[in-house]
Amino acid sequence: MRIAYLRVSTADQTLASQRLAIEKALGEAPEREFVDEGVSGRVMQREGLDACLNALRASDELVVYSLSRLGRSSAEVIRLVQDLTRPVEQGGRGIILRSVTEALDSSTPTGRAFIGILAVVFQMEAELTRERTLAGLAAARRAGRVGGRKPSLTPRQKKQALTLYEQGERPIDIADTLGVSERTVWRAIRDARATREKVHGKKEVMV
């Protein structure tokens, strides 16, 4: 079965252009369609996407306008793409994924290679983020900003904590990286999400 998932972030956007692009790429309309309208990619709860993922069965084909429609961050997108497209015998769901914008078709050798490249790029991005965080901490120590009661994290460090968390790092490891307690990391993640919520005007739910 061919299933399409469409999402627009703001109320003034429409699904028409995504739907047209998907139908043009397929040569016909998909058999089922799930949508999220006026829902930012950064919002935790997306009922349309959840329903779509629950409806998919092995060998089904999921079609999206862009991979960015599937997640809040590159880490989430990569994890979902890998889980969907990995063969059932390897612990995945055995779904064929097609994306119009990226011209991706996971049923082809080129498509599978592209997914592998995305995973490598994400891993490099995660490592660079961690290295920059560690370098910043080392610089702070050289400047003498160590000892005594642990200071509150700066807004930038809170954002870094959220980025690392969404990239799959464990809070206890983030705490070790930032030199604070795990409780402080959880507070930083909540604060960073609250700040992002104000910017995007959407409420996010902690998981």
Side-chain angles (χ1 to χ4, degrees):
M1 180 179 293
R2 280 178 167 174
I3 298 177
Y5 171 68
L6 301 84
R7 175 175 62 78
V8 289
S9 301
T10 60
D12 60 345
Q13 293 178 329
T14 67
L15 299 167
S17 60
Q18 291 185 32
R19 186 174 290 118
L20 180 62
I22 288 174
E23 291 182 2
K24 182 178 180 180
L26 296 178
E28 60 183 359
E31 296 169 79
R32 295 189 68 181
E33 178 184 282
F34 294 87
V35 303
D36 280 313
E37 294 188 75
V39 178
S40 167
R42 295 188 181 278
V43 175
M44 297 291 288
Q45 295 178 320
R46 288 156 294 168
E47 294 181 0
L49 179 59
D50 291 342
C52 177
L53 296 177
N54 287 332
L56 286 167
R57 298 294 180 265
S59 299
D60 282 348
E61 183 175 330
L62 173 61
V63 188
V64 295
Y65 176 71
S66 169
L67 293 178
S68 64
R69 303 295 87 188
L70 292 174
R72 302 179 297 273
S73 66
S74 58
E76 183 181 25
V77 170
I78 291 298
R79 284 196 293 267
L80 179 57
V81 168
Q82 290 180 316
D83 178 60
L84 288 172
T85 60
R86 187 179 299 115
V88 174
E89 57 270 21
Q90 296 179 18
R93 298 190 57 181
I95 305 299
I96 297 172
L97 176 63
R98 293 185 63 177
S99 174
V100 175
T101 301
E102 290 83 8
L104 169 68
D105 181 347
S106 71
S107 67
T108 68
T110 300
R112 290 190 291 272
F114 181 69
I115 292 173
I117 291 171
L118 285 179
V120 171
V121 170
F122 162 70
Q123 186 60 39
M124 290 176 60
E125 177 186 339
E127 290 296 331
L128 288 172
T129 299
R130 186 175 180 85
E131 287 178 9
R132 286 194 294 267
T133 300
L134 291 172
L137 290 170
R141 293 189 185 101
R142 288 195 298 270
R145 295 193 295 273
V146 293
R149 183 177 180 273
K150 294 294 183 182
S152 299
L153 296 178
T154 66
R156 181 176 181 180
Q157 288 175 317
K158 290 179 180 180
K159 185 176 179 181
Q160 288 175 332
L162 177 59
T163 298
L164 290 170
Y165 178 70
E166 291 184 338
Q167 288 177 342
E169 294 280 350
R170 299 183 306 168
I172 191 170
D173 293 330
I174 299 172
D176 182 60
T177 298
L178 296 175
V180 295
S181 68
E182 187 175 353
R183 179 179 295 181
T184 298
V185 168
W186 279 115
R187 284 199 301 267
I189 292 172
R190 285 194 292 269
D191 290 347
R193 278 184 170 161
T195 299
R196 192 165 67 185
E197 172 192 327
K198 292 179 182 178
V199 173
H200 293 275
K202 297 290 184 179
K203 185 176 182 179
E204 301 185 12
V205 179
M206 285 288 291
V207 293

